[in-house]
Amino acid sequence: MTTASATALVLDLAGTFAFALNGALTAVRAARLDIVGVITLGMITALGGGILRDVLLGALPPSTFSDWRYLVVAAVGGLVAFGLSRQLERLATPITVFDALGLSLFAVTGAGKALALGAGVGQSILLGAITAVGGGTIRDVLVRRIPTVLRSELYAIPALVGAAIVVVPARFGLGGLVWALVGAGVCLAIRLLGVRFRLEAPHPPGGKSDGDAPAS
Amino acid sequence: MTTASATALVLDLAGTFAFALNGALTAVRAARLDIVGVITLGMITALGGGILRDVLLGALPPSTFSDWRYLVVAAVGGLVAFGLSRQLERLATPITVFDALGLSLFAVTGAGKALALGAGVGQSILLGAITAVGGGTIRDVLVRRIPTVLRSELYAIPALVGAAIVVVPARFGLGGLVWALVGAGVCLAIRLLGVRFRLEAPHPPGGKSDGDAPAS
Amino acid sequence: MTTASATALVLDLAGTFAFALNGALTAVRAARLDIVGVITLGMITALGGGILRDVLLGALPPSTFSDWRYLVVAAVGGLVAFGLSRQLERLATPITVFDALGLSLFAVTGAGKALALGAGVGQSILLGAITAVGGGTIRDVLVRRIPTVLRSELYAIPALVGAAIVVVPARFGLGGLVWALVGAGVCLAIRLLGVRFRLEAPHPPGGKSDGDAPAS
């Protein structure tokens, strides 16, 4: 394994762990599920984005299933979150932070994998964003929430920005770890600032999102 | 590119545009999303059916991702709908008509692609219908509605009829544009008549659908 | 066709039929859909798990679409359930029993197919469970329920146990019908006992699932 691919693997597993914590805590907090539901939702949140990416790239079976490390990291993340849920449940912040970390790491690793498999610039940026938002979208559908990617102020946009920061330099031969870290950092910063200050993208004239309201 | 494949591409892109308008207007009207949510839902509605079809055919990566024209048309459709939402939102009709147009075009192009990739008669008809109803089904799940394909009077049936009008003549060597246009026209007519006169398929004895009611 | 593969096919088609009955009855009872919705939901429930499995194995097109017998059995199951819905609707038990039967049969056939295509022990057990719970999960999402796999006492666990009873002996060269029947029987027994006595997996300290409540 080269240094580059080892680094990509570490970032990808870190994103997997962050999303597993997020999904499992969401199961505890939002849907009050039992241990099987908690670990299942943690794993689906952690692995869903990468599976979507690999299906869209035609890279099947998904790396999740050909590389057992993803399964183990996702399951351990779900177990850890279950064990710590009493401590973490009172705090809304960890759920948001783990989600933002997973979003940022998957945006850059997803885009990097798409590039490595020969996708074009635009497709790689989009696939990075799909990897980043995919697991959380499946999570939200399963617990009957309108997905964050549809209703949140800044969620798809930082993922697209983070992916572009990896893809565009690579196009000019400037690949490597530094751009991945910059991309993830910028994505994380935009996302957390968006949450903190509730920055919002423009709404259609006359209408304003009320976030959690059910569609009629 | 042959004339036949150019025609198929034009019909497919027209269906993509119609579904992007429909999905984006649904995002404005039903879920009151911001611009990112509007364009995202428009693109998912426009591209979802073709992705499902290509996964089920094993034709990966989906044409959506290997051919950037689909991505561009879907994004432009979402943007146009966002810009026109003030004008169009007061009217319920455009959402329904764009949905029926996308349904009709995707039924015939989806069936044609399945045939071209060697699927049998029955499978090609079913894949045409899946292409036609797939994007709208994902749209409805994401905004928490019971999918139209499950609760609507006439939605899957016109799609199956439209697909059959393409597939059966092709089986006897009578392929071509004319059957695609006839199939799309018949599908569109049945669908719009169904909406207009609220024609319904039979219900089980004693039960009657109440449409939008949540499942218990 | 060998005896082994013929047996696997029979068990797989039996699971398909059971899930088609379950999905169609769910459509009648929970969502009060018309005939198109009933048959559609029956077919999606019956075919969804196998499609997920084949996507994750990269075995595309899914056997559902390359082998018309699955489509026919799923459609007939939906039609039968529609016809018998007046008789069966008063009884809650059939829906649960058909679901448990499908779960048990798909756990062993899904795991067996994963093994046959070269997946490892852990992956095969997981893919067996995904095949078993996949169709019902899509069913629940479409009728807007939190999926059984997330909120039920014992649903994923018996599927994992049933799959392991097939996979582990096969690893030691002890393949064959007897383990498949034992695995399915054990899965079915655990599931039905779980439903009967409402056995539950541990909850996080201080929280208790309220099952059907919407996520907030």
Coordinates of all heavy atoms in Angstrom, one line a residue, chain A residues 21-93:
Chain A
L21 N -20.9 7.0 15.1 CA -21.3 7.6 16.3 C -22.5 8.5 16.1 O -23.5 8.5 16.9 CB -20.1 8.5 16.8 CG -18.8 7.8 17.3 CD1 -17.7 8.9 17.6 CD2 -19.1 7.0 18.5
N22 N -22.5 9.3 15.0 CA -23.7 10.2 14.8 C -25.0 9.4 14.6 O -26.0 9.7 15.2 CB -23.4 11.0 13.5 CG -24.6 11.6 13.0 OD1 -25.3 11.0 12.2 ND2 -25.0 12.8 13.5
G23 N -24.9 8.3 13.7 CA -26.1 7.6 13.5 C -26.6 6.9 14.7 O -27.8 6.8 15.0
A24 N -25.7 6.3 15.5 CA -26.1 5.6 16.7 C -26.7 6.6 17.7 O -27.7 6.3 18.4 CB -24.9 4.9 17.3
L25 N -26.1 7.7 17.9 CA -26.7 8.7 18.8 C -28.0 9.3 18.3 O -28.9 9.5 19.1 CB -25.7 9.9 19.0 CG -24.4 9.5 19.8 CD1 -23.4 10.7 19.8 CD2 -24.8 9.1 21.2
T26 N -28.2 9.4 17.0 CA -29.5 9.8 16.5 C -30.5 8.7 16.8 O -31.7 9.1 17.2 CB -29.4 9.9 14.9 OG1 -28.4 10.9 14.6 CG2 -30.7 10.3 14.3
A27 N -30.1 7.5 16.7 CA -31.1 6.4 17.0 C -31.5 6.5 18.5 O -32.7 6.3 18.8 CB -30.4 5.0 16.8
V28 N -30.6 6.8 19.4 CA -30.9 6.9 20.8 C -31.8 8.1 21.1 O -32.8 8.0 21.7 CB -29.6 7.0 21.7 CG1 -29.9 7.3 23.1 CG2 -28.8 5.8 21.5
R29 N -31.4 9.3 20.5 CA -32.0 10.5 20.8 C -33.3 10.7 20.1 O -34.3 11.1 20.7 CB -31.0 11.6 20.5 CG -31.5 13.0 21.0 CD -30.5 14.1 20.5 NE -30.9 15.4 20.8 CZ -30.5 16.0 22.0 NH1 -29.7 15.4 22.8 NH2 -30.9 17.2 22.2
A30 N -33.3 10.5 18.8 CA -34.5 10.9 18.0 C -35.5 9.8 18.0 O -36.7 10.1 18.0 CB -34.0 11.3 16.6
A31 N -35.1 8.5 18.0 CA -36.0 7.5 17.8 C -36.1 6.5 19.0 O -36.9 5.6 19.0 CB -35.7 6.7 16.5
R32 N -35.2 6.7 20.0 CA -35.3 5.9 21.2 C -35.3 4.4 20.9 O -36.1 3.6 21.4 CB -36.4 6.2 22.1 CG -36.6 7.8 22.3 CD -37.3 8.1 23.6 NE -36.4 7.8 24.7 CZ -35.4 8.5 25.1 NH1 -35.0 9.6 24.4 NH2 -34.6 8.1 26.1
L33 N -34.3 4.0 20.0 CA -34.3 2.6 19.6 C -33.5 1.7 20.6 O -32.8 2.3 21.5 CB -33.6 2.5 18.2 CG -34.3 3.3 17.1 CD1 -33.4 3.3 15.9 CD2 -35.7 2.8 16.8
D34 N -33.6 0.4 20.5 CA -32.9 -0.5 21.4 C -31.5 -0.7 20.8 O -31.1 -0.2 19.7 CB -33.6 -1.8 21.6 CG -33.8 -2.6 20.3 OD1 -33.0 -2.5 19.4 OD2 -34.7 -3.4 20.3
I35 N -30.7 -1.6 21.4 CA -29.3 -1.7 21.0 C -29.1 -2.2 19.5 O -28.2 -1.7 18.8 CB -28.5 -2.7 21.9 CG1 -27.0 -2.6 21.6 CG2 -29.0 -4.1 21.9 CD1 -26.1 -3.3 22.6
V36 N -30.0 -3.1 19.1 CA -29.9 -3.6 17.7 C -30.2 -2.4 16.7 O -29.5 -2.2 15.8 CB -30.9 -4.7 17.4 CG1 -30.8 -5.2 16.0 CG2 -30.6 -5.9 18.4
G37 N -31.2 -1.6 17.0 CA -31.6 -0.5 16.2 C -30.5 0.6 16.2 O -30.2 1.2 15.2
V38 N -29.9 0.8 17.4 CA -28.8 1.8 17.5 C -27.6 1.4 16.7 O -27.1 2.2 15.9 CB -28.4 1.9 19.0 CG1 -27.1 2.7 19.1 CG2 -29.5 2.6 19.8
I39 N -27.1 0.2 16.8 CA -26.0 -0.3 16.0 C -26.3 -0.3 14.5 O -25.5 0.1 13.7 CB -25.4 -1.6 16.5 CG1 -24.9 -1.4 18.0 CG2 -24.3 -2.2 15.6 CD1 -24.4 -2.6 18.6
T40 N -27.5 -0.8 14.2 CA -27.9 -0.9 12.8 C -27.9 0.5 12.2 O -27.4 0.7 11.1 CB -29.3 -1.5 12.7 OG1 -29.2 -2.8 13.3 CG2 -29.7 -1.7 11.2
L41 N -28.5 1.5 12.9 CA -28.6 2.8 12.3 C -27.2 3.5 12.2 O -26.9 4.2 11.3 CB -29.6 3.7 13.1 CG -30.0 5.0 12.3 CD1 -30.7 4.7 11.0 CD2 -30.8 5.9 13.2
G42 N -26.4 3.2 13.2 CA -25.0 3.7 13.2 C -24.3 3.1 11.9 O -23.6 3.8 11.2
M43 N -24.4 1.8 11.7 CA -23.7 1.2 10.6 C -24.2 1.7 9.2 O -23.5 2.0 8.3 CB -23.8 -0.3 10.6 CG -23.0 -0.9 11.8 SD -23.0 -2.7 11.9 CE -21.8 -3.1 10.5
I44 N -25.6 1.8 9.1 CA -26.1 2.3 7.9 C -25.7 3.7 7.6 O -25.3 4.1 6.4 CB -27.7 2.2 7.9 CG1 -28.1 0.8 7.9 CG2 -28.3 3.0 6.7 CD1 -29.6 0.6 8.1
T45 N -25.7 4.6 8.6 CA -25.2 6.0 8.4 C -23.7 6.0 8.0 O -23.3 6.8 7.2 CB -25.4 6.8 9.7 OG1 -26.7 6.6 10.2 CG2 -25.1 8.2 9.5
A46 N -22.9 5.1 8.6 CA -21.5 5.1 8.3 C -21.2 4.5 7.0 O -20.2 5.0 6.3 CB -20.8 4.3 9.4
L47 N -21.9 3.6 6.5 CA -21.6 2.8 5.3 C -22.4 3.3 4.1 O -22.0 3.0 2.9 CB -21.7 1.3 5.5 CG -21.0 0.8 6.7 CD1 -21.3 -0.7 6.9 CD2 -19.5 1.0 6.5
G48 N -23.5 4.0 4.3 CA -24.4 4.3 3.2 C -23.9 5.1 2.1 O -24.1 4.9 0.9
G49 N -23.1 6.2 2.5 CA -22.5 7.1 1.5 C -21.6 6.4 0.6 O -21.6 6.6 -0.6
G50 N -20.7 5.6 1.2 CA -19.7 4.9 0.4 C -20.3 3.9 -0.5 O -19.8 3.6 -1.7
I51 N -21.4 3.2 -0.1 CA -22.1 2.3 -0.9 C -22.7 3.0 -2.1 O -22.6 2.5 -3.3 CB -23.1 1.5 -0.1 CG1 -22.4 0.6 0.9 CG2 -24.1 0.7 -1.0 CD1 -23.4 -0.2 1.9
L52 N -23.4 4.1 -1.9 CA -24.0 4.9 -3.0 C -22.9 5.3 -4.0 O -23.1 5.1 -5.2 CB -24.7 6.1 -2.4 CG -26.1 6.0 -1.9 CD1 -26.6 7.4 -1.5 CD2 -27.0 5.5 -3.0
R53 N -21.8 5.8 -3.5 CA -20.7 6.2 -4.3 C -20.2 5.0 -5.2 O -20.0 5.1 -6.4 CB -19.5 6.7 -3.5 CG -18.2 7.0 -4.3 CD -17.0 7.0 -3.3 NE -16.9 5.7 -2.7 CZ -16.3 5.4 -1.6 NH1 -15.8 6.4 -0.8 NH2 -16.2 4.2 -1.1
D54 N -20.0 3.8 -4.6 CA -19.5 2.7 -5.3 C -20.5 2.2 -6.3 O -20.1 1.7 -7.4 CB -19.0 1.6 -4.4 CG -17.7 2.0 -3.6 OD1 -17.1 3.1 -4.0 OD2 -17.3 1.3 -2.7
V55 N -21.8 2.2 -6.0 CA -22.8 1.8 -7.0 C -22.7 2.8 -8.2 O -22.7 2.3 -9.3 CB -24.2 1.8 -6.3 CG1 -25.3 1.7 -7.4 CG2 -24.3 0.7 -5.3
L56 N -22.7 4.1 -7.9 CA -22.7 5.1 -9.0 C -21.4 5.0 -9.8 O -21.3 5.4 -11.0 CB -22.9 6.5 -8.4 CG -24.3 6.7 -7.8 CD1 -24.4 8.1 -7.2 CD2 -25.4 6.5 -8.9
L57 N -20.3 4.6 -9.2 CA -19.0 4.4 -10.0 C -19.0 3.0 -10.6 O -18.1 2.7 -11.4 CB -17.8 4.5 -9.0 CG -17.4 5.9 -8.6 CD1 -16.5 5.9 -7.4 CD2 -16.7 6.6 -9.8
G58 N -19.9 2.1 -10.3 CA -19.9 0.7 -10.8 C -18.7 0.0 -10.2 O -18.3 -1.0 -10.8
A59 N -18.2 0.4 -9.0 CA -17.1 -0.3 -8.4 C -17.7 -1.3 -7.3 O -17.6 -1.1 -6.1 CB -16.2 0.7 -7.7
L60 N -18.3 -2.4 -7.9 CA -19.0 -3.3 -7.0 C -18.2 -4.6 -6.9 O -17.5 -5.0 -7.9 CB -20.4 -3.6 -7.5 CG -21.3 -2.4 -7.5 CD1 -22.7 -2.8 -8.1 CD2 -21.5 -1.8 -6.2
P61 N -18.2 -5.4 -5.8 CA -18.9 -5.0 -4.6 C -18.3 -3.8 -3.9 O -17.1 -3.5 -4.1 CB -18.7 -6.2 -3.6 CG -17.8 -7.2 -4.4 CD -17.5 -6.7 -5.7
P62 N -19.1 -3.0 -3.2 CA -18.6 -1.8 -2.5 C -17.4 -2.1 -1.6 O -17.3 -3.2 -1.0 CB -19.8 -1.3 -1.7 CG -20.9 -2.0 -2.2 CD -20.5 -3.3 -2.8
S63 N -16.5 -1.2 -1.5 CA -15.3 -1.4 -0.6 C -15.7 -1.8 0.8 O -15.0 -2.6 1.5 CB -14.4 -0.2 -0.6 OG -15.1 1.0 -0.4
T64 N -16.8 -1.3 1.2 CA -17.4 -1.7 2.5 C -17.5 -3.2 2.7 O -17.3 -3.7 3.8 CB -18.9 -1.2 2.6 OG1 -18.8 0.2 2.5 CG2 -19.5 -1.5 3.9
F65 N -17.8 -3.9 1.6 CA -18.0 -5.3 1.8 C -16.8 -6.1 1.3 O -16.7 -7.3 1.7 CB -19.3 -5.7 1.0 CG -20.5 -5.4 1.7 CD1 -21.1 -4.2 1.6 CD2 -21.1 -6.3 2.6 CE1 -22.2 -3.9 2.4 CE2 -22.2 -6.0 3.4 CZ -22.8 -4.8 3.2
S66 N -15.9 -5.6 0.6 CA -14.7 -6.3 0.3 C -13.6 -6.0 1.3 O -12.6 -6.7 1.3 CB -14.3 -6.0 -1.2 OG -14.2 -4.6 -1.4
D67 N -13.8 -5.0 2.1 CA -12.7 -4.6 3.1 C -13.4 -4.6 4.5 O -14.2 -3.7 4.8 CB -12.2 -3.3 2.7 CG -11.0 -2.9 3.7 OD1 -11.0 -3.4 4.8 OD2 -10.2 -2.0 3.3
W68 N -13.2 -5.7 5.3 CA -13.9 -5.8 6.5 C -13.6 -4.7 7.5 O -14.3 -4.5 8.5 CB -13.5 -7.2 7.2 CG -12.0 -7.4 7.3 CD1 -11.2 -7.9 6.5 CD2 -11.3 -6.9 8.5 NE1 -9.9 -7.9 7.0 CE2 -9.9 -7.2 8.2 CE3 -11.6 -6.3 9.7 CZ2 -8.9 -7.0 9.1 CZ3 -10.5 -6.0 10.5 CH2 -9.2 -6.3 10.2
R69 N -12.5 -3.9 7.3 CA -12.2 -2.9 8.3 C -13.3 -1.9 8.4 O -13.6 -1.3 9.5 CB -10.9 -2.2 7.9 CG -9.7 -3.1 8.2 CD -8.4 -2.5 7.6 NE -8.4 -2.5 6.2 CZ -7.3 -2.4 5.4 NH1 -6.1 -2.3 6.0 NH2 -7.4 -2.4 4.1
Y70 N -14.0 -1.6 7.3 CA -15.1 -0.6 7.3 C -16.2 -1.2 8.2 O -16.8 -0.5 9.0 CB -15.7 -0.3 5.9 CG -14.7 0.5 5.1 CD1 -13.7 -0.1 4.3 CD2 -14.8 1.9 5.2 CE1 -12.9 0.7 3.6 CE2 -13.9 2.7 4.4 CZ -12.9 2.1 3.6 OH -12.1 2.8 2.9
L71 N -16.5 -2.5 8.0 CA -17.6 -3.1 8.8 C -17.3 -3.0 10.3 O -18.1 -2.7 11.2 CB -17.9 -4.5 8.4 CG -18.4 -4.7 7.0 CD1 -18.4 -6.2 6.6 CD2 -19.8 -4.2 6.9
V72 N -16.0 -3.3 10.6 CA -15.6 -3.4 12.1 C -15.7 -2.0 12.7 O -16.2 -1.8 13.8 CB -14.2 -4.0 12.2 CG1 -13.7 -3.8 13.6 CG2 -14.3 -5.5 11.8
V73 N -15.1 -1.0 12.0 CA -15.1 0.4 12.5 C -16.5 0.9 12.7 O -16.8 1.5 13.7 CB -14.3 1.3 11.5 CG1 -14.5 2.8 11.9 CG2 -12.8 1.0 11.7
A74 N -17.4 0.6 11.7 CA -18.8 1.1 11.8 C -19.5 0.4 13.0 O -20.2 1.1 13.8 CB -19.5 0.8 10.5
A75 N -19.2 -0.9 13.2 CA -19.9 -1.6 14.3 C -19.4 -1.1 15.7 O -20.1 -0.9 16.6 CB -19.7 -3.1 14.2
V76 N -18.0 -0.9 15.7 CA -17.4 -0.4 17.0 C -18.0 1.0 17.3 O -18.3 1.3 18.5 CB -15.9 -0.4 16.9 CG1 -15.3 0.3 18.1 CG2 -15.4 -1.9 16.9
G77 N -18.1 1.8 16.3 CA -18.6 3.2 16.5 C -20.0 3.1 17.1 O -20.3 3.9 18.0
G78 N -20.8 2.2 16.5 CA -22.2 2.1 17.1 C -22.2 1.6 18.5 O -23.0 2.1 19.3
L79 N -21.4 0.7 18.8 CA -21.3 0.1 20.2 C -20.8 1.2 21.2 O -21.4 1.4 22.3 CB -20.3 -1.0 20.3 CG -20.9 -2.4 20.1 CD1 -19.9 -3.5 20.1 CD2 -21.9 -2.7 21.3
V80 N -19.8 2.0 20.8 CA -19.3 3.0 21.6 C -20.3 4.0 21.9 O -20.6 4.5 23.1 CB -18.0 3.7 21.0 CG1 -17.7 5.0 21.7 CG2 -16.8 2.7 21.0
A81 N -21.1 4.4 20.9 CA -22.1 5.4 21.1 C -23.2 4.9 22.0 O -23.7 5.6 22.8 CB -22.7 5.9 19.7
F82 N -23.5 3.6 21.8 CA -24.6 3.0 22.7 C -24.1 3.1 24.2 O -24.9 3.5 25.0 CB -24.8 1.6 22.3 CG -26.0 1.0 23.1 CD1 -27.3 1.2 22.7 CD2 -25.7 0.1 24.2 CE1 -28.3 0.6 23.5 CE2 -26.7 -0.5 24.9 CZ -28.0 -0.2 24.5
G83 N -22.8 2.7 24.4 CA -22.3 2.7 25.7 C -22.2 4.1 26.4 O -22.5 4.3 27.6
L84 N -21.9 5.1 25.5 CA -21.8 6.5 26.0 C -23.1 7.3 25.9 O -23.0 8.5 26.2 CB -20.7 7.2 25.2 CG -19.2 6.7 25.4 CD1 -18.3 7.5 24.5 CD2 -18.8 6.7 26.8
S85 N -24.2 6.6 25.5 CA -25.3 7.5 25.2 C -25.9 8.2 26.4 O -26.4 9.3 26.2 CB -26.4 6.6 24.6 OG -26.8 5.5 25.5
R86 N -25.7 7.7 27.6 CA -26.2 8.4 28.8 C -25.5 9.8 28.9 O -26.1 10.8 29.2 CB -26.1 7.6 30.0 CG -26.8 8.2 31.2 CD -26.2 7.7 32.5 NE -26.6 6.4 32.9 CZ -27.7 6.1 33.7 NH1 -28.4 7.1 34.1 NH2 -28.0 4.9 34.1
Q87 N -24.1 9.7 28.7 CA -23.3 10.9 28.8 C -23.6 11.9 27.7 O -23.7 13.1 27.9 CB -21.8 10.6 28.8 CG -21.3 10.0 30.1 CD -21.7 8.5 30.3 OE1 -21.7 7.7 29.4 NE2 -22.2 8.2 31.5
L88 N -23.7 11.3 26.5 CA -23.7 12.2 25.3 C -25.1 12.7 24.9 O -25.3 13.7 24.3 CB -23.2 11.4 24.1 CG -21.7 11.1 24.2 CD1 -21.2 10.3 22.9 CD2 -20.8 12.4 24.3
E89 N -26.1 11.9 25.5 CA -27.5 12.2 25.0 C -27.9 13.6 25.4 O -28.7 14.3 24.7 CB -28.5 11.2 25.5 CG -29.8 11.2 24.8 CD -30.8 10.4 25.5 OE1 -30.5 9.7 26.5 OE2 -32.0 10.3 25.0
R90 N -27.4 14.1 26.6 CA -27.9 15.4 27.0 C -27.4 16.5 26.2 O -27.9 17.6 26.2 CB -27.4 15.6 28.5 CG -28.2 14.8 29.5 CD -27.6 15.0 30.9 NE -27.7 13.7 31.6 CZ -26.9 13.4 32.6 NH1 -25.9 14.2 33.0 NH2 -27.0 12.2 33.2
L91 N -26.3 16.2 25.4 CA -25.7 17.3 24.6 C -26.1 17.1 23.2 O -26.0 16.1 22.6 CB -24.2 17.1 24.7 CG -23.6 17.0 26.1 CD1 -22.2 16.5 26.0 CD2 -23.7 18.3 26.8
A92 N -26.7 18.2 22.6 CA -27.0 18.1 21.2 C -25.8 18.3 20.3 O -25.7 17.8 19.2 CB -28.0 19.3 20.9
T93 N -24.7 18.9 20.8 CA -23.6 19.2 20.0 C -22.8 18.0 19.4 O -22.5 18.0 18.2 CB -22.6 20.1 20.9 OG1 -23.3 21.1 21.5 CG2 -21.5 20.6 20.0

